[in-house]
Amino acid sequence: MALTVLDLSSFAEGNSSQRQQFASDLLKSLQKHGFVKIVGHGIEDCEIEKLFEWASRTTRQRIWLHVLTDMAEPIPAQEKRSIAHPGGSEPQRGFSKIGAENSSTLYRKGLLGAPVTEELSDARVREITAGGVGSSNNDDRNISTKERKPIANTLLGGRVAARLMSALELALQLPDGTFLERITHEKNASELRQNHYPAIEVEEIRRGAISRIWPHFDLGVLTLLFQDNVGGLEFEDREKAGKFNRVQCGKPAEMVVNVSETLQRWTNGTLRAGLHRVSLPEDSESKESGTVPERYSVAYFCKADRAASVGPLKEFVGEGNAPKFLSLAQGD
C-alpha cells in the first residue's frame, strides 16, 4: 500500500481551487493512514543528498555536526559524551547513545494487544538533536540559528509544518490560526534530530529482542522525516490489525509526514496518531542471515508551545462528541 504523495507548492503558490484540493487530499491521507508524503516543500534535492552524504561518513566513533551546521570537523567520542542530552522536560538536544531511548516501553504496555517480554530494546543512536526556537538552553547541545544550514533553517523555523497545519485548518473548516497560534509561538518545543541505526545482523533481529524501533507513536503535533535509501520504515495498516505497510524509499526530497499525539488530542481523535516502526528493509526480509546496513534519518518534530493545552479544542467537542482526552499543558 503506497502512501499518497502531495506537492506542497500547490498549496503555497496555487489558486483557491488548488489550495482546497491539496488540503482535502492531505486530510484524506492523514485520516486513512496517519501518514502522507510531501514534495515541493522548498528544500532542494541537493541539500538532502548532501545531508545523507555527510551522514554516511560517520562511524560509531564520530559524528558530523555539519549535517546541521557549517562545522567541518568530526567530533570524537569523548566530545559526544560532553554534549550528551541531559534529560528532563526541556527541548531535547545533544547526543544520546544507543539504548538511551527505548520505544519498546510503549510496545510493552500492550500497544498491539500482544504479550511482550521486558528484554526488548532499540538498535538506534540519536546522534544530534537541535532544539527549536523555543529552547532556553543556549549551550553546546544546541546549535545557534546563524550556524544552521538551509534545511535546518527551513524546518526549525517551522515553515513547512506551518503550511501543513494551515492546510488542515482549511480542510477541517476551522478559523484561521486554530492550529497555527499554538505552534508558532517563540516558546514552542520543536526539535530537529539526526538518527543513526548501526548495521546489525539479521539473526539478532530474528531473535525478537531487538528492533531498530518498536511500534510507537510520536509525541508532538506532526513529524516531518527525511530518510536514506536503506528502508525499513513501516506504518500500521488500519484495516488489518497487526499488519504494517512499508514506506517506500523515493527521491531524496520526499518528506514523510505523520500525525503525532498532540494533533490527535487537539482534534479529539478526528486525526489519529500514526503508529509506525522501523524493521528489516525489504531486501533483508526473506533472509535468515547477513548484515542489515546502517540507516540514517533526519526528523523534525513539530511541537506545541510549552504552555499550550494539549486537550481537545472546542471545535472538536460538543453534544454527542464528548472530550476523549484530558486538558494538559504540552510540557506536562
Side-chain angles (χ1 to χ4, degrees):
M1 180 186 297
L3 289 174
T4 301
V5 181
L6 300 179
D7 188 337
L8 184 56
S9 66
S10 66
F11 182 79
E13 304 167 10
N15 57 35
S16 176
S17 176
Q18 291 170 323
R19 286 169 59 85
Q20 183 64 61
Q21 187 63 57
F22 175 90
S24 298
D25 291 342
L26 176 66
L27 178 62
K28 181 179 179 180
S29 184
L30 293 181
Q31 284 183 320
K32 184 175 182 179
H33 305 298
F35 277 79
V36 70
K37 282 188 174 183
I38 297 294
V39 297
H41 40 62
I43 302 174
E44 300 295 329
D45 281 2
C46 62
E47 288 294 330
I48 307 299
E49 289 169 348
K50 285 179 183 178
L51 187 151
F52 286 112
E53 177 187 345
W54 287 323
S56 69
R57 297 175 187 168
T58 67
T59 69
R60 287 160 58 177
Q61 298 301 317
R62 294 179 180 271
I63 56 177
W64 291 78
L65 260 182
H66 68 343
V67 166
L68 301 179
T69 76
D70 292 323
M71 296 175 66
E73 293 299 319
I75 300 179
Q78 64 270 24
E79 292 186 29
K80 280 187 185 182
R81 291 190 289 271
S82 74
I83 59 168
H85 170 58
S89 61
E90 291 293 338
Q92 297 185 34
R93 70 258 186 232
F95 169 76
S96 292
K97 66 181 181 180
I98 193 165
E101 292 185 314
N102 196 344
S103 63
S104 70
T105 54
L106 285 174
Y107 195 49
R108 287 198 297 266
K109 292 178 181 178
L111 198 57
L112 297 180
V116 179
T117 67
E118 291 292 320
E119 290 76 28
L120 304 182
S121 62
D122 288 352
R124 174 185 54 147
V125 178
R126 190 179 76 205
E127 291 283 14
I128 280 292
T129 302
V133 292
S135 175
S136 60
N137 297 279
N138 295 315
D139 59 21
D140 289 341
R141 300 178 187 91
N142 257 341
I143 301 168
S144 66
T145 302
K146 69 178 182 179
E147 288 178 314
R148 292 177 187 138
K149 284 189 170 287
I151 182 173
N153 285 332
T154 300
L155 291 173
L156 281 173
R159 186 176 71 197
V160 178
R163 286 175 175 166
L164 293 172
M165 296 305 291
S166 180
L168 287 175
E169 290 176 349
L170 177 61
L172 291 164
Q173 300 180 359
L174 299 172
D176 290 348
T178 299
F179 293 139
L180 289 180
E181 68 184 13
R182 293 170 168 82
I183 67 168
T184 55
H185 191 281
E186 65 178 6
K187 293 186 180 298
N188 78 69
S190 301
E191 60 195 52
L192 184 64
R193 177 184 299 183
Q194 176 192 334
N195 292 312
H196 175 216
Y197 303 77
I200 188 170
E201 296 304 307
V202 172
E203 297 96 323
E204 195 160 6
I205 297 287
R206 294 290 187 203
R207 292 187 191 107
I210 294 177
S211 180
R212 286 196 145 170
I213 295 186
W214 294 97
H216 68 286
F217 301 114
D218 289 341
L219 301 175
V221 180
L222 288 176
T223 299
L224 284 57
L225 179 96
F226 292 111
Q227 59 175 339
D228 63 14
N229 60 5
V230 171
L233 178 61
E234 300 177 347
F235 64 97
E236 179 191 29
D237 189 327
R238 292 178 171 175
E239 297 178 355
K240 299 178 181 178
K243 183 178 184 296
F244 284 79
N245 298 310
R246 292 191 177 280
V247 177
Q248 297 297 331
C249 298
K251 295 181 179 179
E254 278 191 357
M255 175 187 287
V256 182
V257 176
N258 65 268
V259 176
S260 300
E261 288 189 330
T262 297
L263 187 53
Q264 174 176 281
R265 296 173 66 93
W266 279 347
T267 63
N268 205 29
T270 297
L271 287 169
R272 293 158 50 201
L275 185 67
H276 56 289
R277 67 185 185 186
V278 179
S279 188
L280 289 171
E282 191 168 8
D283 60 4
S284 298
E285 190 174 33
S286 61
K287 297 178 180 178
E288 295 299 326
S289 62
T291 301
V292 182
E294 62 182 355
R295 177 181 184 267
Y296 289 89
S297 67
V298 173
Y300 173 71
F301 297 97
C302 170
K303 296 186 177 182
D305 182 289
R306 296 186 62 77
S309 169
V310 294
L313 303 181
K314 61 182 178 59
E315 290 84 0
F316 295 93
V317 296
E319 187 176 350
N321 194 21
K324 299 175 182 176
F325 306 96
L326 296 176
S327 184
L328 304 172
Q330 197 278 147
D332 292 345

